Amino acid sequence: MKTITFKESAYPKPHQLKEFVWSGRLDEEGRLWFDLHLKSEGYYLSEGEDFEEEEEWEDDGDYSSTGNWKATIVWDNYHSCILSSNYWSDEKGILLTDGEELFDFNQLDNRVFTLDPLPEAKDLEDEDTAFNIYLLGHDTCVNHTIGFTAQENHLFHIQWTGIVALTYGGFNDFIHEFEVDAADASFDGFYYPQTWEREEALLRFKKVLKDIDAFEFVDLNPKSFKREYKLMLK
């Protein structure tokens, strides 16, 4: 099961994920990344049939981040959440290595990544954050803690927490918490610029990946005449 929970929100129960993709990327500068992308089911679906929505949202002049966070009518305007490092940009994600050392996939078990920690993250521009989020509009998320726990058959349990500011609504305080719980997550492979021939891609991957023999190139679309590949665990 894979869920995202928005703590103390108008819809506080876990939301099922209709999309969850964990992939990797080797960029033109020789940096190796993990990408995470998710999309939730509709917000209102999390609470079940017995959920009693508030009758009316009254604007009493106290327009606040907390007021928006707790108002179902606000959540219903935006329907569902997208939280991603690669949906809107190819310059974000979890940096594994900048090429100065090899990344060892076999050492991923119990590894925890901390990205954009507070309070320093308050000074980051949106283009400098590790992830983008569409929650109650295009908001901002920081203070990520992302842990990987190995399961059987190359699957992982990914546990991810972070904090959101409702910047789309004009609020810059990072006070709203989310939590992602994604069991049985499979790695979708390392992607790379398709302008590279496989021989060139292999040479570049050898500079950043330890135990390269544990990986192989897999055709992205074997039914197509166009040959494009990604690097997968065997």
Side-chain angles (χ1 to χ4, degrees):
M1 180 180 295
K2 298 176 178 63
T3 62
I4 185 168
T5 303
F6 304 105
K7 297 184 178 181
E8 299 182 2
S9 71
Y11 291 119
K13 291 185 179 179
H15 301 257
Q16 299 292 322
L17 301 184
K18 62 190 304 183
E19 297 175 15
F20 185 86
V21 181
W22 164 36
S23 60
R25 167 172 40 96
L26 180 59
D27 68 18
E28 293 277 4
E29 285 71 40
R31 298 172 299 182
L32 192 68
W33 305 80
F34 276 159
D35 283 310
L36 292 172
H37 165 85
L38 66 83
K39 184 175 183 179
S40 74
E41 295 284 1
Y43 294 139
Y44 68 94
L45 294 175
S46 65
E47 304 303 308
E49 296 180 357
D50 298 331
F51 178 66
E52 295 184 3
E53 187 172 337
E54 60 188 31
E55 294 182 2
E56 184 177 359
W57 185 54
E58 297 182 359
D59 184 359
D60 58 4
D62 183 23
Y63 182 69
S64 66
S65 184
T66 299
N68 278 263
W69 186 253
K70 292 183 175 294
T72 56
I73 191 172
V74 176
W75 286 78
D76 292 345
N77 283 337
Y78 300 99
H79 307 296
S80 62
C81 172
I82 297 175
L83 173 58
S84 182
S85 62
N86 58 1
Y87 186 76
W88 295 280
S89 171
D90 58 2
E91 297 293 332
K92 297 176 179 286
I94 304 172
L95 181 61
L96 304 176
T97 177
D98 60 5
E100 294 297 318
E101 58 185 22
L102 297 177
F103 173 71
D104 189 349
F105 203 101
N106 290 322
Q107 298 299 315
L108 185 58
D109 186 25
N110 294 320
R111 181 86 179 267
V112 177
F113 296 90
T114 301
L115 299 100
D116 302 339
L118 290 172
E120 294 85 353
K122 290 183 178 180
D123 297 325
L124 290 177
E125 298 294 332
D126 182 67
E127 60 267 22
D128 297 323
T129 58
F131 293 90
N132 289 124
I133 189 169
Y134 179 86
L135 185 62
L136 304 184
H138 289 282
D139 296 312
T140 306
C141 58
V142 298
N143 210 56
H144 303 276
T145 300
I146 306 172
F148 291 78
T149 303
Q151 299 176 281
E152 296 181 351
N153 300 318
H154 294 307
L155 299 178
F156 279 78
H157 186 185
I158 299 175
Q159 294 171 293
W160 175 5
T161 62
I163 299 178
V164 177
L166 302 182
T167 48
Y168 186 77
F171 307 105
N172 295 315
D173 293 327
F174 291 96
I175 57 176
H176 306 298
E177 299 178 44
F178 72 84
E179 180 178 282
V180 176
D181 193 333
D184 301 325
S186 60
F187 181 57
D188 190 48
F190 286 109
Y191 292 79
Y192 61 91
Q194 292 301 312
T195 55
W196 301 349
E197 298 292 337
R198 275 195 297 172
E199 292 75 11
E200 179 184 359
L202 180 60
L203 289 174
R204 290 178 180 251
F205 275 113
K206 284 182 177 180
K207 296 178 180 179
V208 293
L209 267 179
K210 191 173 183 178
D211 194 15
I212 192 68
D213 292 336
F215 296 83
E216 63 181 346
F217 288 100
V218 175
D219 199 329
L220 291 173
N221 188 1
K223 294 183 179 180
S224 171
F225 291 107
K226 186 178 183 180
R227 299 272 75 84
E228 294 182 330
Y229 300 89
K230 61 181 176 180
L231 195 69
M232 290 284 292
L233 285 166
K234 293 180 180 178

